[in-house]
Amino acid sequence: MKKVLLQSAVAAAISMSLMTTATAQESSALDIGRLALAGYGDVTYAYQPNMKDEEGNDTQNNVVARFVPIFLFQLSEKIHIEAELEFSTNAEGETETELEYANMHYFFNDNTIITAGKFLLPFGQFAANIHPSWINKAASNPGIYGGHGGNGSLAGVTYIMNDTGVNVSNTWDLGDAGRIFTDFYAVSGPRQEAGDHGGGVEIESKKGDNNDSMALGGRIAYAFLPEWEIGMSYYSGAYSDDGDLNYSAYNIDFNWIGSYSSVRGEIFGSTAETEGEDVVVQ
C-alpha cells in the first residue's frame, strides 16, 4: 500500500492603498489605510493504488487544487487586520470554501501583541508558521495534522490548527543570549463528535463552542537566531456537550536552520477523557 503525492505551489503578493480618514500625507508616513493582497495556490496529484476509504471502497487517484488569498489591512498605527480564505477542490471534484483565519492584532507595545478573532494557534510551529504549501516543502502535511486542506496523507489525530478567541504574544530580547517567545490564549476549544450517545473529540475545527468552558493553551520557546529554536506547547479544554470530559495535548518542537539545509520536528501527545477511561495518543 502506498501513496505518492506530486505538488507544485506558487505564491504572490501585491499591495494597493486605500484612503481612510487620515490624510494622504499621514497615510504615506504611517501606512494607515494600506491594503495588501497576498496568497498562494497549489495543485496536488495523489497516486494511491490498493488503498481503501473508511467504507472499504477503492480510493481513486485524483488531482486536487487550492487557491488561497490573504488580505492584510492596517487600520491604524497599532491595529492590523488579516484574513485568509481557502478555495479548494476535493476528491469528488466539488469546490469547498473555508475561512482559515480572520483576526485583529493590537500592538500593545514593542514586545506585546494582542490578537482577537479566528487565528492559527501557536501550538508547535507547523500550524502557525509552516503549513502553507509554499513554505512546507514536503509532499504532504505531518500525519498528526493530516487531511488539512485536502493536502494530508493521513486522517490526522488532532484538530489543533485554528480556533476563535484571544491570544497574547510576547517577545523577550536577551541580547546576545537570544530571545524568548511566549504565547498564551483562550479559545472556544474542542467539540464532541456527533452521534446518538456522543463520541470522541471532533477532529475538524467547528464554529463556536458546545459548552460553557474555554480551552486554555500556550507556547514558550527559546531561540538563538538565526540558527535554532526549541519550544514547548500545552493545550487543554472540555470537549463534551456537558463540559465533563476534557481533551489535552502537549507538543515539543525544534527548528534548526543551516546555510544549505534545515531540520524541523515535533513530538506530540494527547489525552481525551471518556466515560470509562482515558484515551492516549502519542
Side-chain angles (χ1 to χ4, degrees), residues 50-87:
N50 304 320
M51 293 188 69
K52 305 287 185 180
D53 59 21
E54 295 180 354
E55 299 177 353
N57 301 317
D58 291 335
T59 302
Q60 302 296 317
N61 303 329
N62 57 71
V63 177
V64 295
R66 293 190 302 168
F67 170 61
V68 186
I70 301 172
F71 304 90
L72 306 169
F73 182 71
Q74 183 166 333
L75 186 63
S76 69
E77 186 177 6
K78 285 185 170 290
I79 300 177
H80 293 186
I81 299 172
E82 65 175 357
E84 177 181 313
L85 292 172
E86 180 178 304
F87 303 95

Side-chain angles (χ1 to χ4, degrees), residues 200-219:
V201 181
E202 176 65 59
I203 296 302
E204 295 184 3
S205 179
K206 300 293 185 180
K207 178 181 178 181
D209 203 351
N210 62 326
N211 52 52
D212 295 331
S213 176
M214 299 283 286
L216 302 177
R219 178 177 181 266

Side-chain angles (χ1 to χ4, degrees), residues 120-132 135 142 144-145 160-161 181 219-223 225 227-233 251-257 263-267:
L120 298 171
L121 296 186
F123 182 85
Q125 287 203 25
F126 179 78
N129 302 324
I130 307 173
H131 85 276
I135 300 176
I144 60 174
Y145 305 110
I160 300 177
M161 287 286 286
F181 303 107
R219 178 177 181 266
I220 299 176
Y222 175 75
L225 301 175
E227 293 185 345
W228 59 270
E229 178 181 344
I230 184 169
M232 300 182 63
S233 306
N251 187 299
I252 300 174
D253 64 85
F254 59 90
N255 182 19
W256 177 81
I257 301 176
V263 178
R264 297 184 177 98
E266 297 187 10
I267 301 172

